[in-house]
Structures are given as structure tokens and as C-alpha cells.
Amino acid sequence: MNDPKGMRKGLTSYGDERFSLFLRKAFIKAMGYSDEALERPIIGITNTFSAYNACHRTVPELIEAIKRGVMLAGGLPVEFPTISLHEAFAYPSSMFLRNLMAMDAEEMIRAQPMDAVVLIGGCDKTVPALLMGAASANVPAMLVVTGPMLTGSHRGERLGACTDCRRYWGQYRAGQIDEQEIEEISAKLVPSAGTCGIMGTASTMALMAEALGMMLAGGAAIPAVHADRLRHAEAAGARAVGLAAEGLTPGQIMTPDAFANALRVLLAIGGSTNGIIHIAAMAGRLGIEVDLAALDRMARETPVIVDLKPSGRYYMEDLHRAGGLAPVLRELRPLLNLDCLTVSGRRLGEDLDTLPPSWEQDVVRPLDHPLYAEGGLAVLRGNLGQAVLKQSAASAELLRHQGRAVVFESLDDLAQRIDSDALDVRADDVLVLRNAGPKGAPGMPESGYIPIPRKLARQGVTDMVRISDARMSGTAFGTIVLHVCPEAAVGGSLALVQNGDSIRLDAAARQLELLIDDKELARRRAAWRAPPAHPGSERGYLKLFLEHVLQADRGCDFDFLARTPTTTKTP
Ligand code: FES
């Protein structure tokens, strides 16, 4: 027997299927639908609008455009709400809530009758959350992103969230700009709706999702407020009806080869380190493990070719003018798996051939004239565990460095002491922040961008080696070692570092070492005690989170949501 379609899918359990359908139709008719409309393929649309979320301000008009496309193709569009997450409006961090959004998306896609679903993501965690949920629900799905914001201008200088937020805040901390000017800047950093306009996590995830095949070609870089974005949404709606008819599921698109394409793009665009975590979580839903050693090998042979902040000069609207992801994929063509299916129903290589030809521009460089000869990310190993470094955003002179550890026990400790004149710190020290990982913080916030101690900032110090078990915003820059795994809160070696220890970073050799002997390390390990329980951890989502969150190398998904055991690896 064929799988039920449309309104007949996933009937509520009353023990009488005909009654369940009768009741469902009675209620949906109260929405004003005709019988003819209810016989059409149903295309769900996730409504991720929230008045807290400026990155998703345009979701209502995207929904209208997607609906238009669905109806032009003969389907019935039905929008439904999901959780919406904005980076600056999620306590304690949006990462803490990503899995909750993924569960919401998965269960609502599964629970409600829809033959396909169009997922509207944008702000950092929303894209991975929706794709994780869709991967597990395995209903035909495609992604539309809200798109990047436009750039603004401050006293003649072009600016955009949020690399420039951090740059100007650094200048303010160093006393180079005053209170009045920083207020003036805050009104100009986010001049339009849309996601951060640099190569932050939102842009990284959008470009990777397109390379992964979960978005129609050409959709990642169109600015949020351009008319082209609405035309893309309309096309997505129309295509979703075809996707439903073909029954093309996320599991058929998100294959190990397709994830390898996404990771290749992550490296070539100088993308956010968060991309690794989110891809690990998405792949984990399908029983695919991200092989970090293989990713590091891939990084060594994949140059950074996109000249966007924070690694380079430009903004996402410039990448759109340069042709979006297409010129990047064309440069990478010999390194990609072109046979991967995409939501268009075609192969990646075929999709690429349908896009307009490239033109002369200087945002996407040729492979033989890259911005950085190696990929933006490096996977480090040593007695401190495994970690990630975004070397394209680091200071070249610090990529090989040995210094004295200055340890911060927690985020609170960091906040209390970093600006103290009494802090014993020198420019060549290594700042260490611990208990800021998935369980330690909790939620692995983007606090790995440890501020330069104020007394050093005032002396003109702009970068230091910084190490933590936290994450970092894709908009940030500096010689920052992140995602140390296992994290300190579960007894990883980061918990054992003491003030004054020597730490050596050697990015070329992929080494991160605490320079103490094994005996001393073992002695400290035996004496280690777990940090006290988080307040409120005896109940609710926090309890669920702390009991089930996986480490960074497994994408910080919940152990009961990832498919185990993994059956294959990527890249
Ligand atoms: Fe939403 Fe940056 S805050 S993308």
C-alpha cells in the first residue's frame, strides 16, 4: 500500500482512522479551505519569525513568496511556528537551545501532515537546528535562508555586524573611542533586516547548506532585503511541490559525499569554526561521523579563496555581487563530489551549469591566487586534548608561540578579573578559559574570544594566544584555540592547567601542548574534582541538556538524538 499523503498523513490516534480524518478535516475547514485545496500536496513552511529576532524580520514576506510558489505549482502551503533563536536574545546562549529547536522542528514536521517542508532559517543556530530536525524526520525538505543584512556606514567608514561590533568594542575598551561614539556606532552596525553580513556562522551555514544540496542553487548570499530573495523563495515553494511528488528525502541528499562538499566549502570560504560543530551534529543525525583528522588533511589542500571579513576585506553583499556561491564552487569544482543530488532533483554539477557564468571580480579569488594557501581551520592535538584554530583569522606571528598560562576558572571569574589592574598578565602570555564548554558553561557559549586584558589593550596589544573549551563567533578574529575536547567540566586536561605553566602552540605542526611531565599531569588528574552543579540543574531542559549533551567533536547534539553507532565517516 502507498504511504498516505496530504491530510491523510500521520493521523491522530483515536483508534478509528476514518474518524481521525473526519475530525481533522472538520477542524482544518474552519481555516476556510475548500475540499479541493485539501486534496493538494501539502507543503509545510516553518515560521521562524520572532519580534526578538531581527535576523528573521523578513520571514513574513518570505512565507508569502514561498506560498505563492507552492500554489503556482499546485500545492497547498501551510505555515506553522517553531522556536526562533537570535544570538543576542538567548540566555545563557543560543547553542544551549539549538537542540531544543531541532527537537521542536523534528517533532512538528513528523506530527503534522505535510508532504514536504520548506525550512526558513537564518540566524546562526536556526539553520543547523532545522536541518538536524529535518534529517531525523526524513520528510522531503529544503532550506530558505533569510539572507545577509546590508552594510552601514559610520563617519564614512563601511561597517556591518558583527566583526565591526567587536573591532569597535575593542577600540572602546582600549580608550580609543569614547562613550558617545560607541553609542553612535551601535545605531549603525545593523542597518537592515538579515543575518550578520560577514563570514560569520550564519553566512557559513547558509553557504554550506547550499553546497550540501539542501537549498536551491544561488540562494545563500542574496541579501535579505533584495527582491531576488523573494523570487528565490517563490522558486523554493514551487520546487517543494516537486520534491514532495518525488519523495526526495534529506537522507538521500545529506550523504557523506555531500557533507564533504560542505566541509570543503567551509574551508575555502574561511568559514566559522561553528560550522564544524553544526555539521558534526547534522551528520550525526544520519549516522555519519565527521573525521577531524581527515578534515585537517582536507584543510591543508584547500586554500581560502573568499575575501570576506573577518579573514579578509569584504561583506556578504559583495559576495552576492560577485555571484554568490557559484564562483566558489566553480573554483573548487575539481575538488567537489559533483554527483551529489540536491533539492533541485539534479546533481550538484548540473546545478552549477544552470547558474549564470562567472564574471571578473575580486571577492572570490582563483585557486592559484588564494587569500591563504591553506584552509582557514586547523585541528590541533596534544596533551590538552583536541582543539580547533581558525588560522585565517589569527595573527601570523602567534601561530607558533610558547607562553605562560594565565587561567580563568569560569566565565564569572573571567568577567571579574580580566580588566583588573592587579591581573598578573603580559602580552606574551597565553590566556586560558575553562568550564565554558557544553556542560561547563553550560551550552558552550561564544566566549572563546577572551577579551584582551584592559591594561594590555591600553598598551596597544590587539591579539594574544587564547585557549578555551568554548566556541567563538564566526565574526571574531585573533589567535584563538577553541572547542578543547574533552572539556574541563568533565575532567579534560584543560582542567589541570595552573597559572604559570607553559603552553606551546604550533599551528603548522598541529600541536597544542601543556609543557609539564606526564607524572605531574597524572598527579593533578587524580586530585581533580568536578565543579559544583549548576543552579537549577535538578529539573527541566537544563537537566536534560546536562545529562545528554555530547562533546564538541560530536556536534554537541544529545546522545539520544544522534544516530548510533555511526556507520560511515566524512569527509
Ligand atoms: Fe543573527 Fe548574527 S545575530 S546572524
Side-chain angles (χ1 to χ4, degrees), residues 239-259:
R239 174 59 198 147
V241 179
L243 210 56
E246 294 153 25
L248 187 56
T249 57
Q252 292 169 272
I253 294 170
M254 293 198 258
T255 60
D257 278 353
F259 281 116

PDB file of all heavy atoms in Angstrom, residues 239-259:
ATOM      1  N   ARG A 239       9.355  24.479  -6.120  1.00  0.00           N
ATOM      2  CA  ARG A 239      10.145  23.247  -6.198  1.00  0.00           C
ATOM      3  C   ARG A 239       9.752  22.257  -5.088  1.00  0.00           C
ATOM      4  O   ARG A 239       9.845  21.039  -5.266  1.00  0.00           O
ATOM      5  CB  ARG A 239      11.638  23.604  -6.122  1.00  0.00           C
ATOM      6  CG  ARG A 239      12.564  22.424  -6.058  1.00  0.00           C
ATOM      7  CD  ARG A 239      12.435  21.477  -7.257  1.00  0.00           C
ATOM      8  NE  ARG A 239      13.021  20.180  -6.929  1.00  0.00           N
ATOM      9  CZ  ARG A 239      12.600  19.005  -7.382  1.00  0.00           C
ATOM     10  NH1 ARG A 239      11.586  18.937  -8.223  1.00  0.00           N
ATOM     11  NH2 ARG A 239      13.188  17.890  -7.012  1.00  0.00           N
ATOM     12  N   ALA A 240       9.322  22.778  -3.954  1.00  0.00           N
ATOM     13  CA  ALA A 240       8.948  21.895  -2.838  1.00  0.00           C
ATOM     14  C   ALA A 240       7.823  20.951  -3.251  1.00  0.00           C
ATOM     15  O   ALA A 240       7.749  19.814  -2.781  1.00  0.00           O
ATOM     16  CB  ALA A 240       8.538  22.725  -1.630  1.00  0.00           C
ATOM     17  N   VAL A 241       6.949  21.417  -4.161  1.00  0.00           N
ATOM     18  CA  VAL A 241       5.856  20.558  -4.628  1.00  0.00           C
ATOM     19  C   VAL A 241       6.444  19.386  -5.429  1.00  0.00           C
ATOM     20  O   VAL A 241       6.006  18.231  -5.288  1.00  0.00           O
ATOM     21  CB  VAL A 241       4.848  21.379  -5.473  1.00  0.00           C
ATOM     22  CG1 VAL A 241       3.713  20.486  -5.978  1.00  0.00           C
ATOM     23  CG2 VAL A 241       4.283  22.524  -4.634  1.00  0.00           C
ATOM     24  N   GLY A 242       7.462  19.685  -6.246  1.00  0.00           N
ATOM     25  CA  GLY A 242       8.143  18.608  -6.985  1.00  0.00           C
ATOM     26  C   GLY A 242       8.858  17.648  -6.045  1.00  0.00           C
ATOM     27  O   GLY A 242       8.830  16.426  -6.225  1.00  0.00           O
ATOM     28  N   LEU A 243       9.475  18.229  -5.026  1.00  0.00           N
ATOM     29  CA  LEU A 243      10.197  17.415  -4.030  1.00  0.00           C
ATOM     30  C   LEU A 243       9.236  16.427  -3.359  1.00  0.00           C
ATOM     31  O   LEU A 243       9.567  15.259  -3.145  1.00  0.00           O
ATOM     32  CB  LEU A 243      10.760  18.381  -2.979  1.00  0.00           C
ATOM     33  CG  LEU A 243      12.036  18.052  -2.230  1.00  0.00           C
ATOM     34  CD1 LEU A 243      13.189  17.802  -3.172  1.00  0.00           C
ATOM     35  CD2 LEU A 243      12.385  19.203  -1.273  1.00  0.00           C
ATOM     36  N   ALA A 244       8.027  16.933  -3.053  1.00  0.00           N
ATOM     37  CA  ALA A 244       7.009  16.084  -2.424  1.00  0.00           C
ATOM     38  C   ALA A 244       6.614  14.943  -3.366  1.00  0.00           C
ATOM     39  O   ALA A 244       6.501  13.788  -2.945  1.00  0.00           O
ATOM     40  CB  ALA A 244       5.792  16.925  -2.054  1.00  0.00           C
ATOM     41  N   ALA A 245       6.422  15.276  -4.635  1.00  0.00           N
ATOM     42  CA  ALA A 245       5.988  14.251  -5.601  1.00  0.00           C
ATOM     43  C   ALA A 245       7.064  13.180  -5.775  1.00  0.00           C
ATOM     44  O   ALA A 245       6.773  11.989  -5.896  1.00  0.00           O
ATOM     45  CB  ALA A 245       5.679  14.913  -6.942  1.00  0.00           C
ATOM     46  N   GLU A 246       8.319  13.628  -5.760  1.00  0.00           N
ATOM     47  CA  GLU A 246       9.422  12.682  -5.967  1.00  0.00           C
ATOM     48  C   GLU A 246       9.798  11.931  -4.687  1.00  0.00           C
ATOM     49  O   GLU A 246      10.494  10.918  -4.738  1.00  0.00           O
ATOM     50  CB  GLU A 246      10.660  13.440  -6.478  1.00  0.00           C
ATOM     51  CG  GLU A 246      10.467  14.027  -7.866  1.00  0.00           C
ATOM     52  CD  GLU A 246      11.332  15.259  -8.093  1.00  0.00           C
ATOM     53  OE1 GLU A 246      12.382  15.401  -7.428  1.00  0.00           O
ATOM     54  OE2 GLU A 246      10.940  16.100  -8.934  1.00  0.00           O
ATOM     55  N   GLY A 247       9.376  12.453  -3.561  1.00  0.00           N
ATOM     56  CA  GLY A 247       9.711  11.817  -2.286  1.00  0.00           C
ATOM     57  C   GLY A 247      11.204  11.855  -1.982  1.00  0.00           C
ATOM     58  O   GLY A 247      11.743  10.976  -1.300  1.00  0.00           O
ATOM     59  N   LEU A 248      11.865  12.920  -2.461  1.00  0.00           N
ATOM     60  CA  LEU A 248      13.321  13.039  -2.254  1.00  0.00           C
ATOM     61  C   LEU A 248      13.585  13.529  -0.822  1.00  0.00           C
ATOM     62  O   LEU A 248      13.243  14.657  -0.469  1.00  0.00           O
ATOM     63  CB  LEU A 248      13.880  14.035  -3.278  1.00  0.00           C
ATOM     64  CG  LEU A 248      15.371  14.217  -3.386  1.00  0.00           C
ATOM     65  CD1 LEU A 248      16.086  12.899  -3.658  1.00  0.00           C
ATOM     66  CD2 LEU A 248      15.691  15.216  -4.504  1.00  0.00           C
ATOM     67  N   THR A 249      14.184  12.677  -0.014  1.00  0.00           N
ATOM     68  CA  THR A 249      14.309  12.988   1.422  1.00  0.00           C
ATOM     69  C   THR A 249      15.695  13.544   1.768  1.00  0.00           C
ATOM     70  O   THR A 249      16.659  13.331   1.021  1.00  0.00           O
ATOM     71  CB  THR A 249      14.080  11.715   2.255  1.00  0.00           C
ATOM     72  OG1 THR A 249      15.026  10.733   1.831  1.00  0.00           O
ATOM     73  CG2 THR A 249      12.676  11.191   2.096  1.00  0.00           C
ATOM     74  N   PRO A 250      15.807  14.213   2.937  1.00  0.00           N
ATOM     75  CA  PRO A 250      17.116  14.732   3.368  1.00  0.00           C
ATOM     76  C   PRO A 250      18.183  13.637   3.427  1.00  0.00           C
ATOM     77  O   PRO A 250      19.341  13.875   3.109  1.00  0.00           O
ATOM     78  CB  PRO A 250      16.833  15.307   4.754  1.00  0.00           C
ATOM     79  CG  PRO A 250      15.389  15.679   4.720  1.00  0.00           C
ATOM     80  CD  PRO A 250      14.724  14.647   3.848  1.00  0.00           C
ATOM     81  N   GLY A 251      17.778  12.415   3.814  1.00  0.00           N
ATOM     82  CA  GLY A 251      18.748  11.329   3.902  1.00  0.00           C
ATOM     83  C   GLY A 251      19.362  10.966   2.548  1.00  0.00           C
ATOM     84  O   GLY A 251      20.485  10.476   2.481  1.00  0.00           O
ATOM     85  N   GLN A 252      18.623  11.238   1.461  1.00  0.00           N
ATOM     86  CA  GLN A 252      19.163  10.954   0.133  1.00  0.00           C
ATOM     87  C   GLN A 252      20.087  12.077  -0.340  1.00  0.00           C
ATOM     88  O   GLN A 252      20.893  11.880  -1.231  1.00  0.00           O
ATOM     89  CB  GLN A 252      18.019  10.781  -0.876  1.00  0.00           C
ATOM     90  CG  GLN A 252      17.180   9.534  -0.632  1.00  0.00           C
ATOM     91  CD  GLN A 252      15.918   9.559  -1.478  1.00  0.00           C
ATOM     92  OE1 GLN A 252      14.882  10.089  -1.079  1.00  0.00           O
ATOM     93  NE2 GLN A 252      15.997   9.004  -2.658  1.00  0.00           N
ATOM     94  N   ILE A 253      19.933  13.245   0.245  1.00  0.00           N
ATOM     95  CA  ILE A 253      20.749  14.405  -0.173  1.00  0.00           C
ATOM     96  C   ILE A 253      21.958  14.571   0.744  1.00  0.00           C
ATOM     97  O   ILE A 253      23.083  14.763   0.275  1.00  0.00           O
ATOM     98  CB  ILE A 253      19.868  15.677  -0.169  1.00  0.00           C
ATOM     99  CG1 ILE A 253      18.785  15.538  -1.251  1.00  0.00           C
ATOM    100  CG2 ILE A 253      20.710  16.925  -0.406  1.00  0.00           C
ATOM    101  CD1 ILE A 253      17.714  16.596  -1.200  1.00  0.00           C
ATOM    102  N   MET A 254      21.730  14.449   2.039  1.00  0.00           N
ATOM    103  CA  MET A 254      22.820  14.679   3.005  1.00  0.00           C
ATOM    104  C   MET A 254      23.632  13.397   3.189  1.00  0.00           C
ATOM    105  O   MET A 254      23.564  12.727   4.218  1.00  0.00           O
ATOM    106  CB  MET A 254      22.254  15.169   4.327  1.00  0.00           C
ATOM    107  CG  MET A 254      21.636  16.552   4.224  1.00  0.00           C
ATOM    108  SD  MET A 254      21.446  17.338   5.849  1.00  0.00           S
ATOM    109  CE  MET A 254      19.751  17.104   6.167  1.00  0.00           C
ATOM    110  N   THR A 255      24.411  13.074   2.184  1.00  0.00           N
ATOM    111  CA  THR A 255      25.242  11.871   2.203  1.00  0.00           C
ATOM    112  C   THR A 255      26.656  12.241   2.662  1.00  0.00           C
ATOM    113  O   THR A 255      27.003  13.426   2.721  1.00  0.00           O
ATOM    114  CB  THR A 255      25.324  11.290   0.784  1.00  0.00           C
ATOM    115  OG1 THR A 255      25.909  12.303  -0.057  1.00  0.00           O
ATOM    116  CG2 THR A 255      23.933  10.921   0.250  1.00  0.00           C
ATOM    117  N   PRO A 256      27.504  11.248   2.952  1.00  0.00           N
ATOM    118  CA  PRO A 256      28.885  11.590   3.326  1.00  0.00           C
ATOM    119  C   PRO A 256      29.579  12.440   2.265  1.00  0.00           C
ATOM    120  O   PRO A 256      30.300  13.398   2.601  1.00  0.00           O
ATOM    121  CB  PRO A 256      29.549  10.211   3.464  1.00  0.00           C
ATOM    122  CG  PRO A 256      28.430   9.295   3.876  1.00  0.00           C
ATOM    123  CD  PRO A 256      27.222   9.797   3.145  1.00  0.00           C
ATOM    124  N   ASP A 257      29.355  12.150   0.982  1.00  0.00           N
ATOM    125  CA  ASP A 257      29.976  12.958  -0.081  1.00  0.00           C
ATOM    126  C   ASP A 257      29.458  14.391  -0.070  1.00  0.00           C
ATOM    127  O   ASP A 257      30.204  15.349  -0.327  1.00  0.00           O
ATOM    128  CB  ASP A 257      29.700  12.340  -1.454  1.00  0.00           C
ATOM    129  CG  ASP A 257      30.665  11.199  -1.766  1.00  0.00           C
ATOM    130  OD1 ASP A 257      31.613  10.989  -0.977  1.00  0.00           O
ATOM    131  OD2 ASP A 257      30.461  10.526  -2.792  1.00  0.00           O
ATOM    132  N   ALA A 258      28.166  14.551   0.217  1.00  0.00           N
ATOM    133  CA  ALA A 258      27.594  15.900   0.249  1.00  0.00           C
ATOM    134  C   ALA A 258      28.146  16.683   1.453  1.00  0.00           C
ATOM    135  O   ALA A 258      28.459  17.877   1.342  1.00  0.00           O
ATOM    136  CB  ALA A 258      26.073  15.823   0.322  1.00  0.00           C
ATOM    137  N   PHE A 259      28.285  16.020   2.597  1.00  0.00           N
ATOM    138  CA  PHE A 259      28.893  16.692   3.757  1.00  0.00           C
ATOM    139  C   PHE A 259      30.346  17.060   3.450  1.00  0.00           C
ATOM    140  O   PHE A 259      30.833  18.103   3.887  1.00  0.00           O
ATOM    141  CB  PHE A 259      28.820  15.808   5.009  1.00  0.00           C
ATOM    142  CG  PHE A 259      27.470  15.830   5.670  1.00  0.00           C
ATOM    143  CD1 PHE A 259      26.692  14.690   5.753  1.00  0.00           C
ATOM    144  CD2 PHE A 259      26.967  17.012   6.215  1.00  0.00           C
ATOM    145  CE1 PHE A 259      25.446  14.710   6.363  1.00  0.00           C
ATOM    146  CE2 PHE A 259      25.715  17.049   6.829  1.00  0.00           C
ATOM    147  CZ  PHE A 259      24.953  15.894   6.897  1.00  0.00           C
TER     148      PHE A 259
END
